[in-house]
Amino acid sequence: MWWICCEEPGRRLPSLALPRHPFLRNSHQNVNLVVPLEREGTNRLKRIFAGIAAALLLAFGAAGQKVAPPASLPPPASAQSQEFLRAADEVLAQMSKIISLPILSPLKKSLRSRDEIRAYLLQKMKEDKDADKRYADQKTMEKFGLIPKNYPLDQVLVKVLTEQIAGLYDPDSQEFFIADWTSPADERAVMSHELTHALQDQHFHIDKWTDAAKPNDDGELARDAVLEGSAMAAMLDYELGGKGSIRDLGDFDPSLLMGDLDDKSELSKAPKVIQDELLFPYIAGIKFTQSLLKAGNGWPDFYKVFDKPPVSTQQIMHPELYLQGVAPAKVEVPDTKGVLPAEWKKLDENNMGEFGLLEILKQYLDKDRSTRLAATWAGDRYSIFENQKNRRTLLAFRVHLASDAAAARFFGAYSEILEMKYDMRTNLMRRPNFFSFDTPEDGVFLRCQDSDCFVVEGGTRAIFDRLTVEMGWPAGPVIPVNPADPHVNQTMIPIYPGLLADAGRPMQPMAR
């Protein structure tokens, strides 16, 4: 199955083209996990968890229309191991009982070589995202400061996927396969994760269910987290071997399942936002799943989430908000028609969500401050434009915070971020709840009103003021007059000596 993530990264953050429901692997150091598993089983989970995540990278960007027939693997090049086929059938039957979902139809399954999987993933990346969406996502991530300009995103994703993927379930062909380099000790755990997706697909049609969140990238990433988190939880239940369930466990840090990335791996070399969005559906998703399992009657009640899915990554990161029915506010960016010149083309309009905002803040601020500030997110909307003449970009970003006080803190923090993003600044202007400066290309503006903050990067003060008027905000602070500005008109009034001499004399009463 294929997801978007950087979103657009996901969402989600602006998405990267990644496949859905993959199992990724990675080399990492051993860590202790306080759950009732033998050490060997815990270390195996860490190996496998690292393997689950990479296929999601293809999911980062599936927000576009499909432009070719769905990719499908040709028949396996080599004869399939009867032991593998038998093990897959056994694990499928076990997972059906563990997660309370009956098997509705037979499932195709196979072992695949690295070359076969790589060719398949490349085709999926082409199918799942159109060129315009891919370009818009790249420009959005650059403008938010999440990746460097002209970063070779597609090439990096291919390297990560080829290195990391261990198994995959594809809803298009309803086929499950495992990389033939997966160790026999890990095969069944990989199967337990991917076959959970297969069973959920038979009952809930998971591709259509996830796509229903479009075009909200943040909402789509939230649904990804439901699927990947529940598959992680099911895998953990499988590994517990009937000695318990994730529902019975206390609070634990699921990132411990991952361990530390090998600093020589392709994933470890990728920008932090790619690593974080790749792992978010698994790490945050398993905690969300555990909360829902605890709140209800286990797996049978969990599936109510398919009728009432989470609408934002905030509900994934804070499951209590989902359980309480707390949803983010609907935020609109102002209409730019008649405000921007004709050469400005809109590339995209979407949502960052709490997860996306956290990623932006973490690029420049420490983790604790970023986490506290991101938790006050209550809604957002952004739009990204490109000037068709000079290829400059303009970003309009409106954030709704939980309170006026939270907006004041956001103003202070984002002012710092903007100064760190742009080294060359002139004409700085600071006023209460207003901050602006010029760059060699265009202006940068930040203003907060009540519990909303609005950022424009790449426009002029006239454009910014027009947009805030569109939002119904009062006029902003007056721009100070700079006498050196060539556009300032100066009127010279001659002062004669006689006038100066008379200036200190008392005025005589005028006759009536």
Side-chain angles (χ1 to χ4, degrees):
M1 180 172 179
W2 310 94
W3 307 101
I4 90 172
C5 190
C6 184
E7 321 328 206
E8 4 230 54
R11 119 195 226 165
R12 0 175 95 166
L13 289 184
S15 50
L16 314 175
L18 309 178
R20 293 176 175 165
H21 310 313
F23 209 92
L24 311 187
R25 75 175 59 255
N26 227 327
S27 300
H28 42 277
Q29 300 173 2
N30 292 336
V31 295
N32 293 319
L33 175 66
V34 186
V35 295
L37 290 171
E38 298 294 333
R39 177 175 297 276
E40 179 182 354
T42 302
N43 291 339
R44 184 171 68 254
L45 275 183
K46 285 185 288 182
R47 286 198 308 273
I48 294 167
F49 179 80
I52 298 179
L56 186 68
L57 274 174
L58 283 177
F60 266 149
Q65 295 179 352
K66 298 204 171 182
V67 295
S72 59
L73 282 168
S78 57
Q80 296 298 291
S81 161
Q82 291 301 310
E83 182 179 354
F84 162 77
L85 297 175
R86 183 169 55 254
D89 288 338
E90 291 174 359
V91 175
L92 180 62
Q94 289 174 290
M95 297 313 298
S96 175
K97 293 179 179 178
I98 289 173
I99 65 174
S100 302
L101 288 179
I103 301 170
L104 300 183
S105 60
L107 184 68
K108 291 186 287 186
K109 45 198 176 290
S110 60
L111 285 168
R112 297 290 182 165
S113 69
R114 189 180 299 273
D115 288 341
E116 286 178 303
I117 291 179
R118 184 177 187 276
Y120 176 70
L121 294 177
L122 288 172
Q123 180 59 33
K124 275 295 184 181
M125 290 177 69
K126 293 177 182 178
E127 287 177 15
D128 287 342
K129 195 169 184 194
D130 64 42
D132 288 344
K133 178 61 177 172
R134 190 185 301 273
Y135 183 79
D137 290 342
Q138 174 107 15
K139 291 299 179 181
T140 301
M141 297 178 78
E142 289 177 2
K143 199 67 174 180
F144 272 117
L146 296 169
I147 60 175
K149 286 187 177 181
N150 302 316
Y151 182 76
L153 194 56
D154 287 351
Q155 296 91 314
V156 169
L157 295 181
V158 171
K159 290 180 181 179
V160 170
L161 288 169
T162 305
E163 173 192 68
Q164 298 294 322
I165 198 162
L168 188 97
Y169 170 69
D170 178 16
D172 286 337
S173 61
Q174 296 184 338
E175 180 177 0
F176 152 70
F177 52 87
I178 285 183
D180 62 6
W181 63 90
T182 302
S183 70
D186 293 344
E187 273 189 2
R188 286 182 177 256
V190 174
M191 289 178 185
S192 69
H193 182 100
E194 296 304 327
L195 294 176
T196 296
H197 289 315
L199 290 167
Q200 290 176 339
D201 188 40
Q202 290 186 0
H203 286 263
F204 306 109
H205 308 290
I206 53 181
D207 251 359
K208 292 181 179 178
W209 181 78
T210 306
D211 289 346
K214 293 177 180 178
N216 184 338
D217 288 349
D218 184 53
E220 196 174 354
L221 182 57
R223 295 193 186 205
D224 291 347
V226 171
L227 296 174
E228 297 303 337
S230 60
M232 284 295 298
M235 182 183 74
L236 189 55
D237 278 4
Y238 174 82
E239 287 293 306
L240 288 168
K243 298 178 182 178
S245 166
I246 187 174
R247 184 169 177 248
D248 306 320
L249 299 180
D251 190 36
F252 74 99
D253 182 0
S255 65
L256 295 178
L257 289 170
M258 182 64 183
D260 297 326
L261 292 177
D262 182 348
D263 59 9
K264 296 180 180 179
S265 70
E266 294 295 338
L267 181 58
S268 69
K269 300 173 187 176
K272 193 65 168 61
V273 64
I274 295 179
Q275 299 178 29
D276 289 349
E277 189 166 356
L278 174 62
L279 299 178
F280 174 82
Y282 302 93
I283 294 176
I286 191 174
K287 293 293 291 181
F288 177 82
T289 300
Q290 184 189 38
S291 295
L292 267 60
L293 291 173
K294 286 176 174 287
N297 187 30
W299 286 106
D301 280 352
F302 174 79
Y303 301 119
K304 295 176 182 177
V305 75
F306 287 95
D307 294 325
K308 186 182 178 182
V311 297
S312 70
T313 52
Q314 182 181 62
Q315 291 183 327
I316 297 295
M317 299 164 75
H318 310 279
E320 68 279 4
L321 297 181
Y322 171 80
L323 293 170
Q324 296 166 10
V326 177
K330 183 178 181 181
V331 177
E332 301 286 351
V333 285
D335 186 5
T336 58
K337 186 177 181 180
V339 178
L340 294 181
E343 62 265 23
W344 287 98
K345 175 186 176 182
K346 180 186 283 190
L347 301 180
D348 195 17
E349 180 176 324
N350 224 299
N351 304 80
M352 291 301 288
E354 180 178 339
F355 173 76
L357 178 60
L358 177 61
E359 288 301 306
I360 297 169
L361 299 176
K362 282 167 52 179
Q363 300 293 317
Y364 304 96
L365 308 177
D366 66 74
K367 181 179 178 180
D368 289 343
R369 187 182 180 194
S370 299
T371 301
R372 289 194 305 270
L373 190 56
T376 67
W377 174 94
D380 81 84
R381 192 75 171 164
Y382 74 85
S383 51
I384 180 83
F385 301 84
E386 184 179 59
N387 189 305
Q388 299 303 288
K389 293 182 179 179
N390 55 30
R391 297 302 173 185
R392 293 177 180 176
T393 52
L394 183 152
L395 174 69
F397 182 37
R398 185 177 183 179
V399 185
H400 179 60
L401 287 307
S403 66
D404 293 4
R409 290 192 294 273
F410 179 89
F411 177 83
Y414 219 79
S415 298
E416 296 176 33
I417 288 174
L418 292 173
E419 289 191 273
M420 286 186 273
K421 282 177 69 173
Y422 297 94
D423 294 333
M424 300 179 67
R425 303 181 303 277
T426 57
N427 301 325
L428 270 73
M429 179 177 176
R430 299 180 190 272
R431 298 291 186 275
N433 294 323
F434 184 94
F435 177 58
S436 71
F437 55 82
D438 291 331
T439 73
E441 292 188 351
D442 283 300
V444 175
F445 308 90
L446 166 64
R447 184 182 172 192
C448 293
Q449 178 75 23
D450 301 327
S451 57
D452 277 25
C453 291
F454 184 54
V455 184
V456 168
E457 299 179 49
T460 64
R461 176 63 191 272
I463 289 174
F464 183 76
D465 285 347
R466 289 277 302 276
L467 294 177
T468 55
V469 168
E470 288 285 336
M471 294 190 296
W473 288 13
V478 176
I479 303 174
V481 175
N482 180 3
D485 191 329
H487 299 290
V488 174
N489 294 322
Q490 299 185 14
T491 302
M492 306 299 292
I493 301 176
I495 304 296
Y496 296 102
L499 293 176
L500 293 176
D502 293 339
R505 297 175 183 173
M507 297 288 291
Q508 297 295 322
M510 297 181 64
R512 294 182 180 273

